Amino acid sequence: MSEITVKPNQLIERILTLELVRVTERAAVAAARWRGRGNEKAADQAAVDAMRRELNRLPIDGTVVIGEGERDEAPMLFIGEKVGNTKGPKVDIAVDPLEGTTLCAKDMPGSITVMAMAEAGTLLGAPDVYMQKIAIGPGYPEGVVDLDASPEDNIHALAKAKGVKPNEINVLMLDRPRHADMIAAVRKTGAGIRLITDGDVAGVIFTANPEETGIDMYLGIGAAPEGVLAAGALRCVGGQMQARLILDTPEKLDRAAKMGVTDPNKKYQLLDLASGDVIVAATGVTNGALLSGVRFHKDIIETETVVYRSATGTVRRIKAEHRELAKFHLE
Ligand code: VTB
Ligand code: MG
Ligand code: MG
C-alpha cells in the first residue's frame, strides 16, 4: 500500500495542526472564566487576548483576513493584522475568538472558539457583513441544492438525492425575524427545522455528519466571517456550500471592494470561500452538540477541540487535561 507522501511545506502544516489546537484551547479557557457572568464584552475580550497571544507564538507569517473587524474599529485581531513570529510560511488566518458571545455570557449551549489557517490568499477576505448561506454534507451530486432555488425546491431535491421523503429532512436555521418567510416555506414541505439563537459556524458543520447531528441542511443569513470559517471545515469533510455577501448599502459595497470583492452579487461556491489547504480548529466553551465545554476542576482544566485538515481529510477530536494552565485559574 503506498504511503501518504508528505510534501516539505506540508510538514510545517502538519506540525502546526496541534499548535492551532493550543490557540483555541487557551482562548476557550479564557472565555469560559466569564461563562454565565452576563458580560459578553468581557468574555469576548478575554478570548481575543488569549487567541492573539497564542497566535503570536506560532512560527508563521500570518495575516488576519477574517477577524474582529476592520482595522479602524477593532483594537486587536483586526483584518490585516500580522500575527505569528514571522519565521514561517505565509498564511491566511481567520478567527472568531468567541463564536456565540451571548451563549457564553448566559452559559447557554454551543459557544465555541474557532480559527482557521490556510495557504496565503486562499480564504475569502470577508468583511463583517451578512451572508446568505446554504450547506449540505458529503455524498450528494454536485449542485443538488442551490442558493437561488426556493426552500421548497431545495428540500425536495435533497430528499430525492437522500432517498427519503421531504418530511424526513431536517434543516438548521438561525431563529431570526429575517427568516420568517423562509421558515414558513420550509415548514410547508413538512421538513423539520432546528432553530438556534446563535452559532452558525457549528450550524453549518452539523451538516457534515447528519447521522450523528440529525441535520441535513443549513439555510439562511448569518455573518460572512462565520461562513468562511465553516467552509474551511466542510472543505475537509467534503460537504457543499454556496453563499452570497449581502452588500445592501454603499458603505458595505465600499468595504467589500476594499477587500477585493469585485462582483457584489457573486454566488460563492465552497472552493471560492476556502480554495487551498486549510486547517480549522474549534474548542467548546459551553457544552454543546459539537463540543463539550471547558470544565474547571481544582487542579485540572478539561477542554475538547475538533480540528479539521483539508489536505488529508482528517478530523481529530482532542480531549485535553491542562494541569499547568489550571494553576493560573487560581488567580
Ligand atoms: C450571526 C451568526 C453567528 O451571530 O452572525 C449571528 O453567523 C448574528 O446574527 O454565528 P444577528 O446579527 O441576526 O444577531 C452569531 O450567531 C454569533 O456570532
Ligand atoms: Mg465573535
Ligand atoms: Mg461569531
Side-chain angles (χ1 to χ4, degrees), residues 96 98-101 199 201 223 226:
D96 193 347
L98 186 54
E99 157 69 345
T101 52
V201 173
E226 281 81 345

Side-chain angles (χ1 to χ4, degrees), residues 68 95-101 112 114 198-201 223 225-226 229:
E68 287 299 286
V95 295
D96 193 347
L98 186 54
E99 157 69 345
T101 52
I112 62 174
V114 55
D198 276 302
D200 74 349
V201 173
E226 281 81 345
L229 283 161

Side-chain angles (χ1 to χ4, degrees), residues 253-314:
L253 279 165
D254 181 49
R255 281 165 59 196
K258 285 200 178 91
M259 296 178 70
V261 175
T262 49
D263 173 3
N265 296 309
K266 182 179 172 73
K267 178 161 64 176
Y268 294 99
Q269 304 292 337
L270 182 61
L271 282 173
D272 296 318
L273 300 169
S275 59
D277 287 347
V278 55
I279 301 172
V280 178
T283 301
V285 176
T286 59
N287 283 328
L290 180 67
L291 291 158
S292 49
V294 176
R295 294 178 62 190
F296 293 104
H297 306 282
K298 183 170 166 301
D299 303 318
I300 294 175
I301 299 175
E302 287 182 271
T303 57
E304 184 182 18
T305 301
V306 60
V307 55
Y308 302 86
R309 189 159 172 259
S310 68
T312 54
T314 311

